Amino acid sequence: PEDWPDDKHVTGYWFLEGDALWEPPRDLVSFLKAGTPPVCVGLGSTVTRDREKVSRIVLEALEISGQRGVIAGTGLAIQEGPETVFHAGYVPYSWLFPRAGIVVHHGGAGTTGKVLRAGTPNVVVPFTSDQPFWARRVYDLGAGPEPIPASRLAAKNLAKAIVEATENHEMRRRAEQVGERIRAEDGVGEAVRLVSQYIGQRHAER
């Protein structure tokens, strides 16, 4: 923003790379190889009420859209489902998202950053807090369809968004472009450089 003073900086995302040695379960790898890249659904811990209802909506939307799905994390009450849906539990997003066809998520700042970094189209279902803001940013970047607020989530509109994100080649191209830009950044390195710069300036002033 033009009104920010000179000592305010945007460094880029700070990503943790500690999952580099993580080994994926064989059944998950087999599922991914068995067909087209699936829809990854990860709603974080946001779904605290109506988990069963949201879970039913997700399963129905996958069926309507004709897409395979991977359920990541613990936000949904889906332990078992059709053969076209795999419940992965904990999976490092940095490993999973690049292997997904699209990602359906809640729009948390960290999750959004990891999906954008992967260059994968997003379908964002914001629930609360800053999530509507990040959902709108994804849409404005052209990296996903119009967000679906959790209060208006239904199987039909989620299926429609999944189909759009899957089949819209321009949207995929825009998502890939954003991913390339983010992967070219070094947010941690830039932050370290700025901190060192300011420490050096303060020592010099003394």
Side-chain angles (χ1 to χ4, degrees):
E2 294 181 356
D3 61 342
W4 277 18
D6 292 339
D7 62 348
K8 299 295 183 290
H9 302 274
V10 176
T11 63
Y13 283 106
W14 297 4
F15 291 111
L16 290 174
E17 308 294 352
D19 292 318
L21 300 179
W22 181 82
E23 291 288 338
R26 292 183 179 179
D27 52 353
L28 173 58
V29 174
S30 297
F31 180 84
L32 293 173
K33 291 181 177 179
T36 57
V39 175
C40 174
V41 183
L43 297 177
S45 57
T46 302
V47 187
T48 56
R49 296 182 298 176
D50 296 328
R51 292 177 71 236
E52 288 75 14
K53 177 182 177 181
V54 174
S55 299
R56 289 195 299 271
I57 288 173
V58 167
L59 289 177
E60 186 176 349
L62 290 171
E63 182 179 3
I64 293 172
S65 63
Q67 297 294 317
R68 305 191 315 141
V70 170
I71 309 301
T74 59
L76 295 174
I78 301 174
Q79 297 298 328
E80 295 183 4
E83 293 182 356
T84 55
V85 177
F86 186 95
H87 188 276
Y90 169 75
V91 180
Y93 286 166
S94 58
W95 184 90
L96 180 61
F97 288 168
R99 293 168 170 81
I102 68 169
V103 179
V104 178
H105 63 99
H106 57 298
T111 302
T112 302
K114 290 176 181 178
V115 182
L116 291 176
R117 185 194 196 191
T120 307
N122 303 228
V123 174
V124 188
V125 182
F127 285 77
T128 185
S129 189
D130 61 336
Q131 295 167 9
F133 171 80
W134 296 115
R136 178 55 56 175
R137 287 300 303 139
V138 168
Y139 177 68
D140 289 344
L141 287 168
E146 189 166 357
I148 306 172
S151 60
R152 294 197 288 107
L153 181 65
K156 288 185 177 180
N157 60 11
L158 179 56
K160 181 180 178 181
I162 288 173
V163 170
E164 181 181 358
T166 301
E167 298 182 354
N168 189 319
H169 298 295
E170 176 62 18
M171 187 176 293
R172 183 168 299 279
R173 186 183 70 83
R174 294 291 297 275
E176 290 172 351
Q177 288 178 337
V178 173
E180 289 174 1
R181 291 174 60 187
I182 292 177
R183 291 192 298 272
E185 296 176 344
D186 179 13
V188 173
E190 178 65 5
V192 170
R193 185 190 69 78
L194 289 166
V195 171
S196 299
Q197 174 184 314
Y198 282 110
I199 290 175
Q201 288 177 353
R202 296 204 174 180
H203 279 302
E205 290 170 359
R206 292 177 183 175

